[in-house]
């Protein structure tokens, strides 16, 4: 309402009206494609079911990095195609099957529409292809991909019924459970679906600090983000960062910082440089930094520092879990991210600036902060 007099005054000036409208139209147009694209979701409600389903699948692909934005989903799909078209196809099959299964099981329609019933299966499909010892375009693999993707809504629903008591998200626990179950059942020596061999470290790694490459470390920042989807191509990681940036600049910042902190943690433990270069130290920390730095906790400078601490903590948890799970012949996947982030979300404090978002109000960091400031204002006005 306060902007109306300004518009009238500028229109009276003759030539000043159109530039002002153009400047205002640009942010408004950007508002339709950034954030969670709520207006687009509302517009789709009376459109054909097939069109809505495509939107749900794209949101599911992007929800791996906490983004509910179909355009971001398209960008991430492009990044996957740049990395490996077979991995992209396998991930899409997983997302579609999981979303259909959730519909058949009568899961909450709003959660399905936000992509929350698809993202775990996205990772299941991609990582089953990544870890397959049969290489690319082993079409029979799509059968176990579909079967394991069907378990994701079941795992999600079961975990939600427990986690709702503490108002906690399930994160990628269904993915971790499904993939670990599949790899444990098949393994490296399975005649039909052999997976890559995971072995524990049995000797001291040869680390020569003079061989450390600054350029490779710089590349490892986007690669760390790319490894969230199992990708080691820096261009793919850069596209993923762009997809996150489209939805939320704050999320993009924390994704990059988290990857950087994971890299630093790897260097502090004298990890083999190759593991750092391919982003294996960055992806769990990147996810953690996003989750704590504005997504599930409202962003303040206190929660920002907490996110940095949690990212470092996650990297060290990841190192220990990698060693432990390698004994069982399994990768650590995103178990470190899930366990560390859940631990920090269960933190109790009397500091009002460390505010855990109600799960039903979580959208994206910028919007979450607005909700927090409004809640804080209400508390000041009516403390009782």
């Amino acid at each position: 309402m306060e902007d109306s007099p300004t518009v009238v005054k500028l229109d009276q000036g003759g030539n000043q009206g159109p530039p002002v409208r153009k400047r205002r139209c640009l942010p408004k147009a950007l508002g339709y494609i950034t954030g969670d694209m709520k207006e687009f979701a509302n517009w789709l409600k009376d459109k054909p079911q097939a069109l809505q389903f495509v939107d749900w699948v794209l949101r599911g692909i992007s929800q791996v990095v906490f983004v509910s934005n179909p355009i971001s989903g398209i960008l991430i799909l492009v990044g996957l195609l740049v990395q490996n078209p077979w991995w992209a196809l396998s991930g899409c099959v997983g997302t579609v099957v999981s979303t259909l299964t959730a519909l058949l099981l009568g899961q909450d329609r709003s959660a399905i529409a936000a992509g929350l019933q698809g993202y775990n299966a996205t990772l299941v499909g991609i990582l089953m292809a990544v870890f397959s010892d049969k290489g690319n375009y082993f079409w029979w693999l799509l059968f176990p991909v579909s079967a394991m993707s069907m378990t994701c809504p079941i795992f999600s629903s079961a975990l939600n019924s427990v986690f709702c008591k503490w108002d906690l998200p399930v994160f990628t626990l269904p993915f971790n459970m499904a993939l670990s179950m599949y790899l444990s059942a098949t393994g490296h020596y399975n005649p039909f679906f052999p997976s890559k061999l995971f072995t524990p470290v049995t000797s001291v790694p040869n680390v020569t600090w003079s061989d450390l490459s600054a350029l490779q470390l710089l590349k490892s920042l986007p690669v760390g983000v790319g490894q969230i989807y199992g990708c080691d191509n820096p261009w793919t990681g850069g596209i993923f960062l762009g997809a996150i940036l489209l939805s939320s600049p704050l999320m993009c910042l924390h994704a990059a910082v988290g990857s950087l902190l994971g890299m630093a943690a790897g260097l502090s433990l004298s990890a083999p440089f190759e593991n750092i270069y391919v982003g294996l130290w960055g992806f769990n920390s990147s996810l953690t930094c996003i989750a704590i730095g504005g997504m599930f906790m409202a962003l303040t400078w206190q929660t920002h520092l907490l996110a940095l601490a949690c990212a470092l903590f996650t990297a060290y948890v990841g190192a220990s879990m990698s060693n432990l799970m390698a004994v069982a012949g399994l990768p650590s996947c995103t178990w470190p991210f899930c366990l560390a982030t859940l631990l920090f979300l269960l933190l109790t404090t009397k500091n009002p600036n460390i505010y855990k978002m109600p799960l039903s109000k979580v959208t994206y960091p910028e919007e979450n902060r607005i909700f927090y400031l409004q809640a804080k204002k209400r508390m000041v006005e009516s403390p009782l």
Side-chain angles (χ1 to χ4, degrees), residues 201-226:
V201 178
T202 56
S203 61
V204 178
N206 183 19
V207 176
T208 307
W209 286 95
S210 59
D211 293 338
L212 186 65
S213 169
L215 179 61
Q216 291 296 326
L217 286 178
L218 182 63
K219 286 183 180 179
S220 70
L221 194 151
V223 171
V225 177

Side-chain angles (χ1 to χ4, degrees), residues 314-326:
T314 302
Y316 294 125
V317 170
S320 62
M321 290 201 69
S322 293
N323 291 329
L324 286 172
M325 295 187 71

Side-chain angles (χ1 to χ4, degrees), residues 11 55 73 91 126 140 151 164 228 247 308 324 326 352:
D11 286 346
D55 176 63
I126 294 171
W140 291 106
T151 68
C164 67
I228 295 173
S247 176
L308 303 185
L324 286 172

Side-chain angles (χ1 to χ4, degrees), residues 95-222:
T95 313
V96 168
V97 170
S98 179
T99 306
L100 284 172
T101 304
L103 286 169
L104 291 173
L105 292 174
Q107 297 300 296
D108 180 62
R109 185 59 69 96
S110 63
I112 296 173
L116 295 176
Q117 293 291 351
Y119 71 96
N120 278 293
T122 303
L123 289 177
V124 167
I126 294 171
L127 271 298
M128 283 177 66
V130 170
F131 292 143
S132 173
D133 217 24
K134 288 284 190 176
N136 295 332
Y137 303 105
F138 177 56
W139 297 102
W140 291 106
L141 186 67
L142 295 180
F143 287 100
V145 164
S146 299
M148 298 315 300
S149 296
M150 289 179 187
T151 68
C152 289
I154 299 171
F155 282 132
S156 294
S157 181
L159 290 169
N160 265 321
S161 65
V162 177
F163 283 19
C164 67
K165 296 177 177 20
W166 299 279
D167 200 32
L168 291 172
V170 300
F171 290 131
T172 52
L173 283 174
F175 150 68
N176 288 316
M177 296 166 73
L179 186 66
S180 296
M181 184 170 67
Y182 168 77
L183 293 176
S184 299
T186 55
H188 180 64
Y189 301 104
N190 187 278
F192 294 148
F193 303 106
S195 60
K196 296 189 184 302
L197 183 63
F198 298 94
T199 57
V201 178
T202 56
S203 61
V204 178
N206 183 19
V207 176
T208 307
W209 286 95
S210 59
D211 293 338
L212 186 65
S213 169
L215 179 61
Q216 291 296 326
L217 286 178
L218 182 63
K219 286 183 180 179
S220 70
L221 194 151

Side-chain angles (χ1 to χ4, degrees), residues 39-52 56:
E39 294 83 1
F40 180 71
N42 292 332
W43 177 79
L44 274 179
K45 285 181 179 178
D46 58 349
K47 299 300 181 290
Q49 194 74 34
L51 193 59
Q52 294 183 48
W56 301 344

Side-chain angles (χ1 to χ4, degrees), residues 65-66 171 248-255 286-308 310 341 345 353-358 361-372:
V65 285
F66 310 111
F171 290 131
S248 166
L250 288 175
M251 288 176 68
C252 182
L253 171 66
H254 282 90
S286 184
L287 283 171
T288 298
C289 205
I290 297 172
I292 301 297
M295 193 64 194
F296 296 97
M297 285 188 172
L299 185 62
T300 61
W301 68 266
Q302 290 93 337
T303 53
H304 176 69
L305 293 178
L306 196 66
L308 303 185
C310 190
T341 308
L345 287 178
N353 294 314
I354 300 178
Y355 180 79
K356 179 177 170 291
M357 290 289 298
K361 301 297 182 183
V362 170
T363 51
Y364 53 96
E366 290 82 357
E367 193 70 23
N368 293 343
R369 179 163 171 80
I370 292 172
F371 176 84
Y372 159 70

